[in-house]
Amino acid sequence: MLYYSDKPIYSNNDDQLDRHSFAKLLAQSLLNLSNQDTFSIGLFGKWGSGKTSIVNMMLQEIEFQQNNLSEKEKLLIVHFEPWNFSNTDQLLTQFFIRLSNEFRNTGDKSLEKIGKALEKYSDAFDLLRTVPYVGGLLSFLGKKGAIIAGNKLKKGSDEKDILKQKEFIFKLLEKQSNKILVIIDDIDRLSNAQIRQVFQLVSSVAKFPNMIYLLVFDKDIVVNALENVQKGSGENYLEKIIQMPIQIPDIHNTKLLQILADRLNKILSEHKEIGFQQTHWQTLYEPYIAVHINNLRDVNRLCNTVQFKITAIYSEIDFTDMVAVSVIEIKFPKIYEWIKTNKSLLTGEFDLPSLGSQNKSQQEWYSLYSSKIQNLLQYDSDLKVDNKNLEKIMEFLACLFPYFGQKIGKAYEVYDKNIVRKNNQIAHPEKFDRYFNLDLDGITIKKYEIFNAAFILDVKDFVKFLLEQEKKGTSYEFLEELRALISDLSPDRVKTISIALLTASPCLDTYSQKNFLLLPSSTLASI
């Protein structure tokens, strides 16, 4: 059983989204930078867009291109992960420790000297209190913190030592032939205070010559965190720090959907007994399933969810419906919970809400339930809640549940209860619960038993099987399943089954436990 990890890739060989060319271009740009001043690059992309994978492929390309360079010509690469640390004090301290260790472990005496100087620079002051006085005022500590730090600095040589160490490091790095690439990834995972700390670090405290910062983040999240810093907008503040903004190119949707199709097809091929109706798939896939696949993370989550669910119950459900309901569970969890608690409304089994409202028009029903769905969407999704998107969700539900579709005037196909029963679709009242319970043992008559009786058993064995179902109290359910298959039976099979039913009918007396108004199984057998 294969589940798909969300971890980033490390090699071009694993690139499924054709991003290696972009990563190569980024690597070449970094290697060719000749600026001696601090240079900051922003690599922007939404969560799930593959930012870290691109960085990893870029590093592989840098390593490849540096094979023919001397040690003095190579980029020295420092990868700092700020989200490993719980507060701003740790973040700053660990940044300098990481930087110092990287320099001290190179085996190059000049770099080791810089590493030792960085360590002294870090030790020379209490970072949390004195950052506002290094390289310009950073105001986030507040007035009280600034006063405390100021009083401490007035006592003696602390301030001189800090400034001296920074100046010393500045001169050492100015003479350094190697450029230093500092990669700070996943900045958008940090708290707002830590995000501001990272950018203050880059723009002031650790602003040294020959240093290149590659800052990787979701721009919208960072801009929001930087709002009102130095009484300006987050966008303006970011522009002052980032000299080269780079937006990761969008993944072509065709590529994503091809990956999704390949993976779903693999799952389907591994479960031969699962129900699959091509027409039903075509109805739901493009407008209601594919439209919610925006990145590789969406593909992974959907395939993992489907794989997990059908492993337990694949022979008793419809593949298309399981994929569709999994999309709703992942993208619209509130609507998913609403579906689970509205079986009668959606499938037509004991539709009690309708009994007292027989005079409602389809338009009135649509208005009522679209309002409910709209309220759920407001708490449920990052999808913009407008009339167009609301209409799309209502259409999705109508296609998945044809009874509900007829009720609200959005029927896209004739609701044939026998067909949805035969195909084990979620729209049938007796099939609905299995899509949520995933309990194979709770299904009283398995699909293979029904098909074996309908297409293979002779008269004697059919009668025996039917009487066994009578003892278990499931003969009525079996006969309903059989009736749904009538159109698929050959004339010879119809004759065989008719003889068996007439033989067994005197011994049948089970009523459906689903509806006390229905006829006993003996009557159903004779129809």
Side-chain angles (χ1 to χ4, degrees), residues 450-462:
I450 296 165
F451 274 67
N452 188 53
F455 294 101
I456 298 175
L457 297 183
D458 60 19
V459 172
K460 181 181 176 181
D461 288 337
F462 190 99

Side-chain angles (χ1 to χ4, degrees), residues 234-285:
E235 185 79 46
N236 291 339
Y237 184 77
L238 192 62
E239 287 177 2
K240 294 176 183 177
I241 298 171
I242 302 295
Q243 282 85 48
M244 183 188 290
I246 301 174
Q247 179 68 47
I248 292 176
D250 293 333
I251 303 169
H252 200 286
N253 196 245
T254 304
K255 187 68 179 177
L256 273 178
L257 295 182
Q258 183 60 56
I259 294 171
L260 175 65
D262 290 344
R263 291 184 181 179
L264 290 178
N265 191 59
K266 188 174 187 299
I267 294 171
L268 192 59
S269 66
E270 290 171 350
H271 300 85
K272 301 292 185 184
E273 296 177 44
I274 198 168
F276 178 75
Q277 313 303 318
Q278 186 68 44
T279 303
H280 191 44
W281 175 259
Q282 289 173 347
T283 300
L284 285 170
Y285 177 67

Side-chain angles (χ1 to χ4, degrees), residues 24 33 47 69 82 119 129 155 161 186 204 265 291 301 303 337 345 360 393 410 412 447 451 471 498 518:
K24 183 176 181 180
L33 275 176
W47 281 2
L69 299 179
E119 187 175 8
R129 294 185 185 278
K155 289 180 180 179
D161 192 45
D186 290 323
S204 181
N265 191 59
V291 72
R301 293 177 73 200
C303 291
E337 293 299 323
L345 167 68
K360 279 189 186 295
I393 297 296
K410 293 288 180 183
Y412 297 98
K447 180 180 175 181
F451 274 67
K471 287 181 183 178
S498 297
L518 294 178

